[in-house]
Every structure is written in structure tokens, then in C-alpha cells.
Amino acid sequence: MRDPFPIPPPAFLTSLTNPIANAFSLSTLPLHIHELLLATLTYQLICVVFAPLLSTYFFPRIYPTLPRRTRLNWDVHVVSMVQSIVVNGLALWVMWVDEERGSMGWEERVWGYDGAGGMIQGFAAGYFLWDLLVCVRWVGVFGWGMLAHAVAALVVFSLGFVSRYSEDLSLLNLPTPEQSPPTSSPLFLPQRPFVNFYGPTFILYELSSPFLNMHWFFDKLHMTGSRAQWYNGILLLASFFSCRLLWGTYQSLRVYQDVWAGLHHAGFPTSERADDEAAADVMKFAKEGSVPVWLACTYLGSNVVLNTLNFYWFGKMIETVKRRFRPPPAEGGTRAAAGQHVSGGVVIVEGTEMDGREDEEDEKTEVEVEAAADGELLRQSGGIGDDEKGSVIIDPTRGTQVIEVHKTEVRKRKT
């Protein structure tokens, strides 16, 4: 299936991309560079312009009063929501209408090129490029786990553009490199389009993202513990388990199997549909040789990182949901034991704090407290010095809330 995007890559943009494509063997990148950059710029525009404007309009009493870093997190969640809906819709559509995908053999899945799959990879790579830039700029907000996720995801979706150097570059209208890379060592040999087939497959991880984002928004809209958040939490766990753990693990095993076969392949890759004109078009970039070791290790290593994070996050999500909706004790005690910090550990899944808490900025004087007592959610704002930050302890034995200030100053308020 050819690229269904109605706008072809502009000639000037293709010319600007050619040096990068030649330097890093990303020979099919010029065909989709406009989709990649369009996605990156669109998401940045949503983050800095449309998300703040629309959020202020629809939530005038909530969004403008949030701390600056919480507003940043809000805007990023808006982008994630838009991206997950758009790119998953496109991926599902491509997988439904692209009849060639169902008949591809392992050689076509590893070395074949499909324009529709390239479009999905372009849009996905554009988002993860934007995501990487945001995570690098605000690593203190989103954490190193989210940064690792952004790097691994960008690597996985960028490798679909990788292509081996060839004397015949007329297929892409690219200039012939002045000096071809050495071909004697398979370790450094660039490769043809690599696992382009799996681009739409693995982007379906994002099907759980809308529910993850809604979970976060419910907390900020003062709907923590509501029925809506409970139902959304069920959908979140179900979609995360189905799309990332079941579907993702199964497809990972398939790609491992295909790449392993490619590592031990010798000769010119052929299609199982030898007499099919469409199959010849899919394999038009394929050249003789096997999958280089560095390429297999890079791709599969990134995939292992993503799957490991998914299993880790799912376990933390279950713990958080159980803790969030656990019924109160039968004897009327508080959920927080005497002298026990309510805040506990913060669980972060793809930059989303599942416990619904944000770290306060140093310059903020307001501390937002969430605690559970006798099955009811309590919220309170307390004034703390400009250079002080605090946390709350529920101590039912003394009937007090203790606000501990980082400067070891302790203030008590009667409940």
C-alpha cells in the first residue's frame, strides 16, 4: 500500500534531508520527513498554544490556578491524548485496509517497505522526537524512566527508515554518497528498510494512553475516587494489559523470530509471493545480505526496555488502584496508620503520576494535601513559608494533622 498522505514531501525539504539520510543510512526518511516534522511541530503547537487556551476556556477555575509545572504536565497530557487517538486511528485503519500485510512472509516483514507503514512510522517518530525533547528539557518533572521510554521508542520507530547503501539510488532520487561505507564487515554495514511492517503493530501500545491521561485529568478536576475514575481505571488496566502485555509481548516474540531468521539469512531476500507485482514493489529496496548484528541488538534491546517498563508500570498501576479504592477498615480507623505519611511513593507511568500528586515548586507557598480518613477524601491548603515545603501526617491518636516543614519546623492544627 502506498503512502495515503495527500501531500508529497516538498522538494526543498527532501534536499535538506538527503545529507542526514546518507550519513545515517536513513534512505527512506526523505519520503516521510514532512510527516515527521509536521507531527513534531503540531504537537509543540498544541502544547504551547492550543492546550493552554482551551484548558483556560473550559476550566477557568482550575487550570489557571495550577502551579506552573502542573500546567506543563497538563499540556503534555493533552498532546498525548491527541496523539494516541490520531495515530492509533490511522494505524488501525492501515492494518484494516492494507491487504498486503496479511500475506507477507518473514522476509517481507523484515526487509519490505510499505508506504502506509512508513507514514505511521513518520507520525510516530515525530511524536517521540517531540516527547524526547520535552523529557530532556524537563527531566526533573517527568523522570529518567520517561526519558528512557522516549529514547527507546524513538529508536524503534526510526529504524524503519534504515536502508542499506546502494549504487542505484534512483529509487529515492538521492545523490550517490562520495564514499560508500565498508562492506567487508557486517557489523558496520547499513541495512535496507528494517521491520517497517511492525510500525503500525507496535504503535498500538498507545491504545491505553487515553485512559491513562483521563486518570490524571480526573485527579486535577477534583474527581479523585469518583465512579467515573473507577470505571476509567478498569478500562485503563484492561487496555494496558491487553495492548501492551498480551499484544505487545506476542508481537515482540514474532519480531524476535523474524530478526533471528534475518541474522542467519544468506543471499538475496525474496518474497513468498514471487509472481505478485505488489510483492515486488514491497521488496524494491531489498539487497543481498543478512541483518547486521548491531542493528538487531539495537532494535531488540530497545524493545526489551519498552516491554520491561510496561510490566513494571502495570504492577505499580495495580497497587495504586487497589490503594486508591480500598474500602475503609470495618472498625472505623483511618486508612493512614498513626504517624504514617499519606503521600507514600509516587507511581509514575509514562509521565503520569498515578497517585495524583505533583511536586510543589520551590517558589510556591501553597501545599495541596490529599489524605484519606474514615473512607472520605480530604483536601486542605496550608500556608507554609516561601522557602519551606511540607508533608502531612494523619495521627488519629492525637486528633491532629502535623505539617512537617523541611526546616524541621513543625506546626500543628486541630482537626
Side-chain angles (χ1 to χ4, degrees):
M1 182 177 178
R2 298 187 181 277
D3 188 346
F5 194 68
I7 303 175
F12 80 93
L13 195 56
T14 301
S15 300
L16 292 175
T17 310
N18 286 341
I20 300 176
N22 291 332
F24 295 98
S25 305
L26 303 173
S27 295
T28 59
L29 178 60
L31 297 176
H32 302 282
I33 186 62
H34 60 308
E35 297 159 349
L36 187 154
L37 293 180
L38 177 62
T40 302
L41 295 176
T42 298
Y43 294 138
Q44 179 64 10
L45 190 64
I46 293 174
C47 185
V48 301
V49 178
F50 293 108
L53 288 177
L54 294 176
S55 300
T56 301
Y57 177 80
F58 287 106
F59 308 102
R61 297 183 179 181
I62 297 178
Y63 180 81
T65 63
L66 296 173
R68 184 168 62 91
R69 66 188 297 165
T70 306
R71 292 199 304 271
L72 169 65
N73 220 330
W74 179 296
D75 299 336
V76 168
H77 279 82
V78 171
V79 175
S80 175
M81 178 72 78
V82 173
Q83 186 271 155
S84 58
I85 293 174
V86 172
V87 77
N88 279 296
L90 289 174
L92 290 171
W93 175 77
V94 167
M95 296 175 69
W96 178 263
V97 302
D98 191 354
E99 299 178 355
E100 298 173 8
R101 292 178 59 87
S103 57
M104 287 185 180
W106 74 265
E107 291 175 296
E108 293 170 290
R109 292 195 297 268
V110 173
W111 291 306
Y113 169 77
D114 181 81
M119 178 192 70
I120 299 299
Q121 286 187 312
F123 286 137
Y127 169 75
F128 289 118
L129 174 61
W130 173 86
D131 190 37
L132 176 61
L133 296 175
V134 170
C135 289
V136 170
R137 173 65 179 85
W138 302 102
V139 66
V141 176
F142 299 104
W144 292 100
M146 188 61 184
L147 179 60
H149 175 273
V151 171
L154 182 59
V155 168
V156 166
F157 283 95
S158 296
L159 286 178
F161 299 122
V162 173
S163 178
R164 132 183 233 174
Y165 279 109
S166 169
E167 295 180 358
D168 182 14
L169 295 177
S170 59
L171 291 171
L172 292 174
N173 194 27
L174 298 177
T176 302
E178 296 180 0
Q179 184 178 3
S180 298
T183 58
S184 58
S185 172
L187 181 62
F188 300 103
L189 183 64
Q191 193 51 246
R192 57 216 126 193
F194 183 65
V195 292
N196 172 273
F197 171 89
Y198 286 99
T201 299
F202 285 118
I203 199 61
L204 294 184
Y205 277 19
E206 297 294 312
L207 282 172
S208 63
S209 294
F211 305 107
L212 182 62
N213 291 319
M214 286 304 302
H215 181 92
W216 188 90
F217 283 123
F218 280 132
D219 284 327
K220 297 302 169 283
L221 296 174
H222 309 309
M223 298 177 64
T224 303
S226 63
R227 286 184 177 273
Q229 190 179 52
W230 168 251
Y231 295 139
N232 180 81
I234 294 175
L235 294 174
L236 169 59
L237 291 176
S239 61
F240 198 99
F241 178 78
S242 301
C243 300
R244 301 201 179 208
L245 303 191
L246 290 183
W247 171 263
T249 302
Y250 169 69
Q251 294 298 333
S252 294
L253 293 175
R254 288 190 65 192
V255 76
Y256 296 160
Q257 183 181 21
D258 289 345
V259 172
W260 179 261
L263 278 169
H264 297 82
H265 176 77
F268 196 94
T270 58
S271 170
E272 296 179 358
R273 303 169 295 159
D275 299 330
D276 193 335
E277 182 178 350
D281 187 63
V282 168
M283 301 295 288
K284 64 183 178 182
F285 293 118
K287 303 297 177 182
E288 185 177 1
S290 60
V291 173
V293 175
W294 72 266
L295 185 57
C297 291
T298 301
Y299 185 89
L300 298 183
S302 299
N303 191 276
V304 168
V305 170
L306 293 175
N307 285 331
T308 302
L309 285 172
N310 285 331
F311 277 93
Y312 170 77
W313 283 335
F314 187 71
K316 292 298 183 181
M317 289 165 62
I318 293 177
E319 293 178 11
T320 302
V321 172
K322 288 171 63 177
R323 183 169 63 249
R324 177 72 62 85
F325 296 98
R326 184 181 293 121
E331 298 181 359
T334 60
R335 272 188 241 175
Q340 178 182 1
H341 283 273
V342 177
S343 58
V346 178
V347 179
I348 300 179
V349 179
E350 287 197 349
T352 298
E353 296 188 5
M354 296 296 295
D355 286 340
R357 292 182 295 274
E358 302 284 346
D359 292 330
E360 295 83 2
E361 294 176 298
D362 291 340
E363 68 269 23
K364 295 297 178 182
T365 61
E366 181 180 86
V367 174
E368 182 174 296
V369 176
E370 291 187 17
D374 295 323
E376 296 183 0
L377 180 69
L378 303 180
R379 290 182 179 270
Q380 179 173 336
S381 295
I384 292 180
D386 293 341
D387 59 346
E388 301 164 347
K389 294 169 64 178
S391 58
V392 169
I393 300 174
I394 301 297
D395 191 345
T397 62
R398 293 185 292 173
T400 60
Q401 288 184 0
V402 181
I403 299 181
E404 288 188 349
V405 183
H406 287 181
K407 286 188 174 180
T408 70
E409 176 186 354
V410 178
R411 302 176 186 177
K412 298 183 180 180
R413 295 181 180 177
K414 293 293 182 179
T415 54

